[in-house]
Amino acid sequence: MNGEAPFVPDERDRALMLATQEGLPLAVRPYHALAERLGWAPEEVFARLARLHAVGVIRRIAAAPNHYALGYVANGMSVWDVDDERVDELGQWLAAQGEVSHCYRRPRALPLWRYNLFAMFHARERVEVERAVASVAALLAARFPGAVRAHEVLFSSRILKKTGVRLDF
Amino acid sequence: MRERRPATLDDLDRQLLWALQDDLPLCERPFAVLATGLGVSEEEVLQRLRRYLAEGIVTRFGPFFQVERMGGAFCLAAMAVPEERFDEVTVAVGAFPQVAHNYRREHALNMWFVLAATRPEGIVETARAIENAVSLPVWLFPKEREYFVRLRLRP
């Protein structure tokens, strides 16, 4: 979040977003098809999508690939118990590593959960994820001595749901 | 959702799947723009994209919504689900539209899902509703800070 005031979509923005929730029409002129579906002028569809995009409510219009189908069968959530004073420094460094797709600081849930830094790794094989995490762990230990108290990798063994965001307006 | 084996992809599939992860232009014929970049026909791009969706290689093609930007929230959540209840709980959790995705992971906390709501209160409300539905505690791990990365998967 960048601290800007939230953008409040109006009635027609909501209708437009709900109409694309299942996906964009796969037509030669997809935005015109969308306009037709809504009974709107295509100009309004373009103008509203451009605005939602410009304010960041729409991040991008793109494909959500199935990691497994693309061969990325190993999906490892690496979790790190890091000194609170240094977690941001380590998080920034970790995010810059090539194999990391997401990196977040999150609260601990003691005593059940001690980790406060999460970084996702994707690779074609589990051993590649293990290797990447081990190499990052060694680099972290050398670069930020004593800052990491423990880490582990939680592999996903099954996708239980992957519909993406559904807008609960 | 069922497990998927890696799909058989040719060179054009690989290039197209890479390009499709980038932002689609907002113009009259955006797939023609993509097609020109790859040196194929617009119809070829559309046909392949339809196939990816039909075969589950692409799970969705459309706008990615940033609910936080419209005053909503995302939140990672986890549960420790007893093995004998795992399938039943998967169905119950999956029925909530606020659950964007859900993964089984190998840990005492063995079910990890992402909640998305257009109102911030929607996260806690949904977590409580899930707890009531399955009689298990839901642990919430809201992000306190995001360290920026942007990874596209090389097919």
Side-chain angles (χ1 to χ4, degrees):
Chain A
M1 201 77 132
N2 46 18
E4 283 174 76
F7 176 87
V8 182
D10 68 17
E11 224 25 70
R12 290 178 81 84
D13 288 328
R14 291 174 181 215
L16 178 59
M17 288 192 275
L18 289 172
T20 59
Q21 179 145 267
E22 302 296 327
L24 199 66
L26 297 186
V28 167
R29 301 195 303 168
Y31 304 112
H32 285 68
L34 193 54
E36 203 167 306
R37 197 186 276 180
L38 287 158
W40 295 3
E43 293 70 30
E44 183 175 0
V45 167
F46 282 110
R48 286 186 182 267
L49 284 177
R51 180 161 166 76
L52 292 168
H53 201 299
V55 299
V57 164
I58 290 176
R59 283 189 292 197
R60 62 182 180 280
I61 299 173
N66 180 320
H67 292 190
Y68 282 80
L70 296 195
Y72 288 79
V73 295
N75 153 351
M77 183 172 78
S78 72
V79 293
W80 309 75
D81 175 5
V82 181
D83 183 349
D84 289 322
E85 302 290 309
R86 302 166 80 182
V87 64
D88 287 335
E89 214 185 328
L90 268 76
Q92 269 153 7
W93 184 88
L94 201 51
Q97 304 310 300
E99 303 88 346
V100 173
S101 67
H102 303 84
C103 189
Y104 299 106
R105 186 179 87 207
R106 302 185 187 278
R108 299 181 170 88
L110 295 169
L112 181 74
W113 187 259
R114 65 188 294 183
Y115 304 105
N116 58 343
L117 184 61
F118 291 58
M120 290 301 301
F121 284 76
H122 295 279
R124 290 172 197 279
E125 286 179 70
R126 188 172 289 215
V127 60
E128 280 181 60
V129 170
E130 283 163 350
R131 205 178 294 139
V133 172
S135 126
V136 160
L139 288 167
L140 279 172
R143 208 180 165 98
F144 307 94
V148 176
R149 290 183 285 253
H151 77 277
E152 60 183 302
V153 186
L154 277 67
F155 283 98
S156 83
S157 46
R158 228 171 102 200
I159 301 174
L160 305 172
K161 183 178 184 182
K162 191 180 188 305
T163 46
V165 173
R166 284 294 174 271
L167 300 166
D168 59 344
F169 288 137
Chain B
M1 172 147 178
R2 72 208 134 97
E3 221 50 21
R4 290 211 58 91
R5 241 165 311 191
T8 311
L9 304 172
D10 65 21
D11 283 344
L12 178 57
D13 288 326
R14 266 180 264 278
Q15 290 171 36
L16 186 53
L17 283 162
W18 177 252
L20 287 168
Q21 291 176 65
D22 220 342
D23 203 4
L24 190 75
L26 260 179
C27 62
E28 187 170 343
R29 293 172 66 172
F31 296 109
V33 176
L34 254 174
T36 305
L38 296 171
V40 296
S41 72
E42 184 182 26
E43 201 39 51
E44 177 83 46
V45 167
L46 278 163
Q47 267 173 22
R48 289 196 184 226
L49 178 52
R50 288 190 194 106
R51 177 166 64 81
Y52 302 150
L53 284 159
E55 294 179 0
I57 295 169
V58 166
T59 51
R60 181 174 170 276
F61 185 83
F64 280 65
F65 301 114
Q66 170 50 285
V67 288
E68 288 164 323
R69 196 60 196 91
M70 45 181 134
F74 286 112
C75 190
L76 181 68
M79 283 196 292
V81 182
E83 211 46 55
E84 66 279 9
R85 292 194 56 201
F86 202 87
D87 291 346
E88 163 222 330
V89 173
T90 297
V91 172
V93 169
F96 285 86
Q98 291 87 356
V99 176
H101 25 84
N102 186 9
Y103 289 90
R104 180 183 173 114
R105 294 192 182 278
E106 295 156 42
H107 190 271
L109 289 172
N110 56 357
M111 187 179 282
W112 289 80
F113 47 95
V114 171
L115 298 174
T118 55
R119 295 170 304 115
E121 318 82 77
I123 298 297
V124 169
E125 287 169 11
T126 306
R128 297 299 157 254
I130 292 174
E131 287 183 331
N132 289 336
V134 301
S135 306
L136 292 169
V138 172
W139 301 91
L140 291 177
F141 297 99
K143 73 174 173 201
E144 295 176 334
R145 183 153 173 200
E146 175 169 3
Y147 307 103
F148 186 74
V149 282
R150 166 89 167 84
L151 182 87
R152 273 201 275 170
L153 297 178
R154 176 72 72 184

